[in-house]
Amino acid sequence: MHGSAGCLIAALFVCTLHVCTAEELINPPNKIAIVGAGIGGTSAAYFLRQKFGKHVKIDLYEKGEVGGRLATVEMEGNLYEAGGSLIHPLNIHMKTFVKELGLSPKTPSGDLLGIYNGEEFVFQESEWFLINVIKMLWNYGLNFLRMYMFVEDMLDKFMRIYRYQTFDYSFSSTESILHAMGGKEFSESVNKTIDEVMQKAGFSQRFIDEIVAPAMRTNYGQGVKINGFVGAVSLAGTDSGLWSVEGGNKLVCTGLLYASKANLIQGTVNSVQEKTRPLKSGGTTKLYEVNFETSNGGQLEMYDIVIIATPLNSGFSDIKFLAFDPPIETFTKPYQQTVATFVHGQLNYSFIGCPEPCPYELSEILTTDNPNLFFSSIGAVSPVKTKQDVDSSRSSGLKVWKVFSPEPLTSDQLHLLFKSYHAVISKTWLAYPHYDPPKKLPPIILHDRIYYINSIEWAASAMEVSAVSAKNVALLSYHRWYGKMEKIDQENISEKIKSEL
Ligand SMILES: Cc1cc2nc3c(=O)[nH]c(=O)nc-3n(C[C@H](O)[C@H](O)[C@H](O)COP(=O)(O)OP(=O)(O)OC[C@H]3O[C@@H](n4cnc5c(N)ncnc54)[C@H](O)[C@@H]3O)c2cc1C
Ligand SMILES: *[C@@H]1O[C@H](CO)[C@@H](O)[C@H](O)[C@H]1NC(C)=O
Ligand SMILES: *[C@@H]1O[C@H](CO)[C@@H](O)[C@H](O)[C@H]1NC(C)=O
Ligand SMILES: *[C@@H]1O[C@H](CO)[C@@H](O)[C@H](O)[C@H]1NC(C)=O
């Protein structure tokens, strides 16, 4: 093998004395466009900068606010997480970003959980650990323990991706990412419902309906018909040690943008088109023309590589791919609407089946899949900034509640759910895919040098999953640019890594 240091020195002269790797013979890209400055786009900028070095120009287009679905709302002078809020302790990319950007993690206070079926609580947590264990065993046998092992197994497989990415391996489709994590059964879980997967694994139907469905409803606004992979990701959200970022999760996006030295263009990308351009040295090259609109009107820029870091569904991004042959397929599958309503007030416990005085001080209420319910979950929340004076909230007895529902709450509904309230603010999201397996996942490679990070959302939508896909796209685009095919879609990577060490 040729030493790469020797090759690098040779490349400074003329690379003829010995066979050089493709890297020295191929010019680096001049310009890369990223569309979307959510966690996917900003982490892509960060990883692309790491891979391609300091000379490539990276433009990041954003039509709204940096952060995208990581956003805060302000109510009574405090900021609350309105979109993606909780991060798992084993989410390594998010953890690393927070550390490297000098941010700090924040853990929410322990909440007592209740599960409401439209008439009564089917499950309430107690302050006493032992009572919880007895209740769980009494009602559900060993299902809770089995769920813990089920999630553990999924996380074990998911975490293999970090090692592969550390050793520069990339994948050309979301299916092959999942396959590399956990083999055929794992990748096929996107084509089964979580209901099917858990029944097959021996969980009781009662447990699935009363415990699993409520977790799916609060995390994804949908019941147990969502796919097995996103279902397992969602169950990981019942683990302990979940955290968020002090000051707001979107600070990770602004931090990554700054650290990547990408150029933020505040504007809407309308279309992408391939153009042939003459080279100074003779011959031609193919570039992508990105058409966008800013407050100064319509403009265009040319790029070597284009990275789409937003869902391509209509209503979300409305980007057109003009005159591609064969055409780049359009994505018509719908996103699920979820409304987050923040209410500062007093919960009407009798409405949720606990006549006053309700003995439980529940602060997290999940619901079973009952079509008569107009909300999916209610949880007490605290501002993104840790308060110095802890006394202020205790004195009034009023809490700030976050209600998730598929439709905006009417004032009649608010009056049923709350005995009294004095501030309400809501945010409507096209939140995550409406999962309806089996479905073919969208491609990552949309065209020769156009990549789609959000393909992975159809397997599971979560911050860490976006960052995993962003790093994969950074590696994939790099290896494809320099023709390093041995770093793409390899089988048995673990064995290869061992032999590389
Ligand atoms: C209510 C809610 C709760 C959630 N809870 C959690 C949670 O607890 N934990 C978790 O991990 N995940 C959670 N998620 C999911 C998580 O927020 C998302 O998976 C993640 O933020 C998606 O990031 P992204 O960068 O892929 O997309 P986005 O954040 O949507 O970023 C895409 C960006 O592209 C921009 N854009 C779109 N079209 C164009 C265009 N044509 N030109 C220019 N810019 C464009 C958009 O304005 C947007 O800023 C939640 C999501 C919601 C909505
Ligand atoms: C609370 O819920 C009960 C039971 O559904 C309902 O009758 C009442 O109107 C609600 N509102 C208040 C303010 O108590
Ligand atoms: C899932 O099903 C779709 C259509 O039924 C199929 O095209 C796709 O290959 C399947 N995916 C996996 C990972 O098996
Ligand atoms: C991967 O490893 C397995 C078992 O170690 C082996 O049977 C298989 O042929 C390997 N596949 C490739 C493509 O090397």
Side-chain angles (χ1 to χ4, degrees):
M1 223 186 92
H2 296 283
S4 59
C7 213
L8 210 72
I9 292 161
L12 292 176
F13 303 97
V14 182
C15 209
T16 51
L17 288 179
H18 60 275
V19 185
C20 281
T21 55
E23 209 164 334
E24 291 89 34
L25 298 173
I26 296 170
N27 286 324
N30 289 316
K31 283 173 76 183
I32 302 176
I34 303 172
V35 187
I39 188 66
T42 54
S43 60
Y46 181 82
F47 292 128
L48 285 162
R49 178 65 72 208
Q50 280 185 346
K51 277 320 286 177
F52 284 96
K54 62 180 178 192
H55 294 299
V56 63
K57 185 161 187 267
I58 303 174
D59 284 342
L60 183 50
Y61 290 90
E62 175 52 58
K63 69 173 176 182
E65 282 184 30
V66 173
R69 274 173 279 168
L70 304 185
T72 49
V73 297
E74 189 182 336
M75 190 170 77
E76 300 172 314
N78 287 314
L79 297 174
Y80 299 90
E81 289 296 353
S85 56
L86 294 171
I87 304 166
H88 193 274
L90 294 178
N91 285 171
I92 304 295
H93 286 322
M94 289 302 291
K95 236 170 139 166
T96 310
F97 295 154
V98 164
K99 200 164 160 222
E100 288 188 357
L101 297 171
L103 298 167
S104 11
K106 169 179 182 287
T107 44
S109 51
D111 285 336
L112 291 187
L113 173 98
I115 295 174
Y116 177 59
N117 71 359
E119 281 159 24
E120 56 178 1
F121 281 104
V122 292
F123 181 80
Q124 318 100 18
E125 221 175 4
S126 148
E127 283 181 53
W128 304 99
F129 177 74
L130 205 59
I131 294 184
N132 289 328
V133 173
I134 292 167
K135 274 188 188 169
M136 286 172 176
L137 283 171
W138 181 261
N139 289 322
Y140 305 104
L142 292 177
N143 278 277
F144 271 106
L145 181 64
R146 194 175 281 158
M147 177 172 85
Y148 178 78
M149 283 155 40
F150 179 82
V151 169
E152 193 86 335
D153 181 58
M154 184 275 298
L155 284 169
D156 242 31
K157 289 174 174 154
F158 184 86
M159 290 190 68
R160 290 181 190 160
I161 194 68
Y162 300 119
R163 202 163 136 77
Y164 303 159
Q165 293 191 331
T166 302
F167 284 85
D168 252 18
Y169 287 97
S170 66
F171 304 90
S172 64
S173 68
T174 297
E175 285 89 347
S176 49
I177 295 178
L178 295 173
H179 192 272
M181 287 174 173
K184 195 157 175 285
E185 199 190 326
F186 199 71
S187 63
E188 283 176 354
S189 68
V190 297
N191 269 350
K192 301 194 176 92
T193 64
I194 186 70
D195 192 20
E196 250 177 287
V197 169
M198 293 188 81
Q199 280 191 34
K200 214 178 232 164
F203 289 89
S204 75
Q205 195 61 52
R206 178 174 175 200
F207 183 78
I208 295 174
D209 293 341
E210 294 183 355
I211 303 294
V212 177
M216 305 302 124
R217 283 167 58 81
T218 186
N219 288 329
Y220 290 103
Q222 305 158 66
V224 291
K225 297 298 170 211
I226 68 176
N227 81 59
F229 180 66
V230 69
V233 166
S234 175
L235 286 179
T238 64
D239 276 353
S240 57
L242 300 181
W243 56 284
S244 54
V245 179
E246 175 75 35
N249 293 333
K250 70 173 180 186
L251 295 182
V252 174
C253 300
T254 46
L256 290 171
L257 170 63
Y258 181 78
S260 71
K261 298 201 166 63
N263 170 41
L264 178 67
I265 299 176
Q266 213 54 79
T268 304
V269 170
N270 293 320
S271 65
V272 180
Q273 193 169 359
E274 195 181 25
K275 290 282 164 86
T276 304
R277 287 284 180 268
L279 284 170
K280 279 193 201 111
S281 55
T284 60
T285 185
K286 291 200 163 172
L287 293 172
Y288 296 113
E289 180 186 290
V290 169
N291 286 276
F292 61 100
E293 193 135 339
T294 67
S295 49
N296 298 325
Q299 296 172 51
L300 58 86
E301 280 290 336
M302 307 298 289
Y303 295 95
D304 299 295
I305 297 172
V306 174
I307 289 168
I308 307 292
T310 168
L312 278 172
N313 301 69
S314 67
F316 217 115
S317 55
D318 301 303
I319 300 166
K320 295 198 170 49
F321 296 95
L322 301 174
F324 283 95
D325 183 24
I328 292 177
E329 67 177 290
T330 47
F331 303 91
T332 51
K333 294 169 224 156
Y335 263 56
Q336 177 78 32
Q337 173 176 289
T338 290
V339 184
T341 307
F342 293 82
V343 184
H344 191 184
Q346 218 179 347
L347 202 60
N348 181 6
Y349 278 101
S350 37
F351 180 70
I352 48 173
C354 189
E356 311 275 345
C358 180
Y360 315 112
E361 260 294 314
L362 299 175
S363 45
E364 181 74 43
I365 293 131
L366 309 186
T367 60
T368 60
D369 211 351
N370 177 342
N372 297 326
L373 286 169
F374 58 81
F375 63 96
S376 314
S377 65
I378 310 172
V381 289
S382 53
V384 295
K385 288 204 178 77
T386 307
K387 276 251 167 50
Q388 299 305 330
D389 53 308
V390 270
D391 276 355
S392 61
S393 58
R394 207 170 47 189
S395 52
S396 63
L398 294 184
K399 282 180 178 163
V400 173
W401 299 89
K402 175 155 75 173
V403 185
F404 280 136
S405 56
E407 296 296 330
L409 299 179
T410 63
S411 74
D412 284 352
Q413 290 168 337
L414 280 169
H415 279 111
L416 281 173
L417 215 42
F418 293 92
K419 282 196 283 200
S420 66
Y421 57 87
H422 55 92
V424 181
I425 188 159
S426 74
K427 169 100 190 152
T428 301
W429 295 102
L430 275 179
Y432 14 66
H434 180 79
Y435 295 104
D436 182 21
K439 283 274 164 17
K440 195 168 162 39
L441 303 175
I444 291 176
I445 302 173
L446 296 178
H447 192 254
D448 198 14
R449 285 160 287 121
I450 305 180
Y451 301 92
Y452 184 31
I453 292 178
N454 294 69
S455 157
I456 207 162
E457 270 198 75
W458 287 90
S461 174
M463 292 173 237
E464 182 72 9
V465 175
S466 280
V468 162
S469 185
K471 177 146 191 187
N472 179 61
V473 162
L475 293 171
L476 181 67
S477 60
Y478 178 84
H479 297 321
R480 279 167 57 90
W481 183 269
Y482 289 113
K484 295 187 163 198
M485 304 324 259
E486 75 281 5
K487 288 290 190 186
I488 303 172
D489 290 338
Q490 285 297 333
E491 300 269 335
N492 294 349
I493 300 177
S494 294
E495 326 255 297
K496 292 208 167 62
I497 290 174
K498 271 182 220 145
S499 69
E500 276 176 36
L501 286 175

